[in-house]
Amino acid sequence: MAIGERIHFFRKKRGMKLKQLGHAIGFPASNADVRMAQYESGSRTPKANITGRLARVLDVSPQALTVPDIDSYTGLMHTLFTLEDIYGLKVTEVDGEIVLRVDVWQGKDAAELQRMLCTWQEQAAKLEAGEITKEDYDRWRYHYPELDTTQLRAKVLPQELGRI
């Protein structure tokens, strides 16, 4: 999914108009809606500093806006293949269903991914059990890893720290 689609998703979720979001991140009112429309349509890509401002206004982590290319099934498959190569993600069958699992013996990164997925599963289980609301769950997801209270930490590259 391209960054423009994520901006659009979160803007709509927050009930904001194009002009309102553009103005909130510092664009002049005269062209705020045009600039935001360009980002959402994909004709322009926001630079890191703009992405950071968008994330703050939309109340999400910058990483929630900059997801990998999953605009097509082929792009999604190549994202999964990359996860297999780097993090030990494996496709298998369990009880007649296709499932993804982490081969924790593939290395340190695979073990870390397993721990992070366990943390995600814990939050999903809390939602299913009614211990947290959908809004709490979404807030946790869209602010990951900042709101992760399990003390597990995701790998954050130095250039990403400036965007948080």
Side-chain angles (χ1 to χ4, degrees):
M1 180 174 284
I3 189 169
E5 291 176 77
R6 294 298 282 172
I7 293 168
H8 178 81
F9 172 82
F10 287 115
R11 178 178 63 79
K12 289 293 193 179
K13 188 173 182 64
R14 303 291 182 251
M16 298 178 83
K17 302 283 185 197
L18 284 168
K19 187 176 218 93
Q20 183 182 10
L21 177 57
H23 189 63
I25 65 165
F27 293 137
S30 61
N31 71 345
D33 54 344
V34 172
R35 286 288 296 272
M36 292 312 307
Q38 290 171 334
Y39 292 147
E40 288 189 8
S41 71
S43 63
R44 288 183 76 150
T45 302
K47 292 186 170 139
N49 65 327
I50 300 291
T51 300
R53 285 190 264 166
L54 284 164
R56 279 190 290 284
V57 170
L58 294 170
D59 192 26
V60 298
S61 167
Q63 291 79 14
L65 295 176
T66 58
V67 295
D69 174 21
I70 55 172
D71 290 340
S72 67
Y73 291 122
T74 302
L76 174 59
M77 289 302 294
H78 282 282
T79 299
L80 293 171
F81 297 152
T82 301
L83 292 172
E84 178 181 33
D85 294 339
I86 298 172
Y87 296 102
L89 189 67
K90 302 290 182 197
V91 63
T92 190
E93 185 178 328
V94 176
D95 297 328
E97 291 188 38
I98 300 297
V99 296
L100 297 172
R101 66 173 187 79
V102 178
D103 178 0
V104 296
W105 302 109
Q106 186 161 326
K108 179 184 77 162
D109 289 337
E112 183 65 20
L113 176 60
Q114 177 72 13
R115 284 190 290 276
M116 290 188 302
L117 290 173
C118 286
T119 301
W120 179 16
Q121 190 279 325
E122 288 171 10
Q123 294 299 315
K126 286 179 183 178
L127 174 64
E128 192 170 316
E131 296 174 26
I132 61 174
T133 66
K134 176 72 164 110
E135 291 77 23
D136 292 334
Y137 178 71
D138 285 346
R139 183 164 173 74
W140 180 87
R141 290 186 315 140
Y142 301 146
H143 286 273
Y144 185 84
E146 298 98 273
L147 297 182
D148 180 13
T149 58
T150 64
Q151 302 305 307
L152 297 179
R153 296 291 174 238
K155 183 192 293 186
V156 179
L157 300 175
Q159 64 267 25
E160 293 175 339
L161 291 173
R163 290 187 261 159
I164 297 177

